[in-house]
Amino acid sequence: MPDIPLAAVVVLCLAALAAGWIDAVVGGGGLLLLPALLLGLPGSTPAATALGTNKAVAIVGTTGAAVTYVRRAPVDVPTAARIGLAALAGSMGGAFFAAGMSTEVLKPVIMAVLVGVGAFVIFRPDFGTAPATGPLPPRRILAAIGIAGVGIGFYDGLIGPGTGTFLVLALTAVLRLDLVQASANAKIVNCCTNAGALAMFAWQGAVLWQLALLLAAFNLAGGTLGARTALKRGSGFVRVVLLVTVVGLVTKMAYEQWVA
């Protein structure tokens, strides 16, 4: 455990709380917590340790949000679990290939996709507000397993930022869920992607467990509160948070790509 100033620990705790709330509502909490860890930890700390500690914190808050959603919202647990198992395998595969692949070439593509997603949500105000009724067709479930499970799971292991947001968007589009239902199902899938990546980081010894335990308590509180807020405020509120998160993600990636 590195020597971290008390002020930095307080800031990290607040960042973990806010990240848990954001992640529970629409995903993307790592946009706040991971940079905070990179800035708050001593300069000699390897980047992989910040990534691993972030995953150890995130999985606790995501699990808390998932439990809250399952108790209070109509969640298709069997379908989410199947997508989650595919995401677990995908995230481990992405983490395996991450060491030998440059992610810089992928960032402009991801930014372009996010800009397109933001425009789509703005110009389609009914997106994620009117869920489909009746049983899900098998082809849609298979598509969700491939896109949200294997595809986004692989992305989470390979790069990571915005995974929760991508899951919400994919599940809304493919399974025709409203944004609250998509957020609920995404939490279950995101638990699996976090577990896959965390297993790899833990095996490499890249987790500060003492710090992660402290931050996880705040992240759990934020995640539980965020899930309750989303359930109370509805899809319109989630849509606004989604747009803000997409803008934040594009801005962060653009800064890293062309400024930093």
Side-chain angles (χ1 to χ4, degrees), residues 13-248:
C13 289
L14 293 175
L17 180 70
W21 188 91
I22 293 171
D23 206 49
V25 175
V26 76
L31 292 172
L32 179 60
L33 182 56
L34 182 56
L37 283 167
L38 291 171
L39 291 173
L41 293 173
S44 58
T45 305
T49 300
L51 290 167
T53 304
N54 176 62
K55 286 299 180 186
V57 175
I59 195 171
V60 176
T62 302
T63 302
V67 170
T68 301
Y69 275 122
V70 168
R71 288 177 174 175
R72 296 168 177 254
V75 180
D76 188 348
V77 176
T79 298
R82 280 184 280 177
I83 299 171
L85 288 174
L88 175 64
S91 65
M92 294 187 74
F96 178 80
F97 283 104
M101 181 180 296
S102 172
T103 59
E104 295 303 316
V105 296
L106 297 178
K107 287 183 179 179
V109 177
I110 296 168
M111 283 188 284
V113 171
L114 282 170
V115 170
V117 165
F120 178 81
V121 174
I122 290 173
F123 294 110
R124 287 286 302 274
D126 59 337
F127 178 72
T129 60
T133 57
L136 291 171
R139 67 180 183 279
R140 288 193 175 274
I141 296 176
L142 288 174
I145 290 173
I147 297 171
V150 178
I152 297 178
F154 185 87
Y155 166 81
D156 192 27
L158 186 66
I159 304 176
T163 295
T165 304
F166 282 127
L167 285 172
V168 171
L169 292 168
L171 294 176
T172 301
V174 177
L175 298 183
R176 303 279 180 86
L177 304 176
D178 67 32
L179 287 171
V180 173
Q181 290 174 333
S183 293
N185 285 274
K187 291 307 105 187
I188 297 176
V189 179
N190 209 181
C191 285
C192 296
T193 66
N194 284 336
L198 177 59
M200 186 66 68
F201 285 120
W203 178 69
Q204 296 171 343
V207 180
L208 298 175
W209 292 108
Q210 289 178 308
L211 178 63
L213 182 62
L214 173 63
L215 300 184
F218 286 87
N219 196 251
L220 176 62
T224 302
L225 179 62
R228 291 178 178 175
T229 303
L231 289 167
K232 181 179 179 180
R233 301 292 295 272
S235 294
F237 172 76
V238 175
R239 182 175 180 271
V240 173
V241 178
L242 172 63
L243 288 172
V244 172
T245 302
V246 167
V247 171

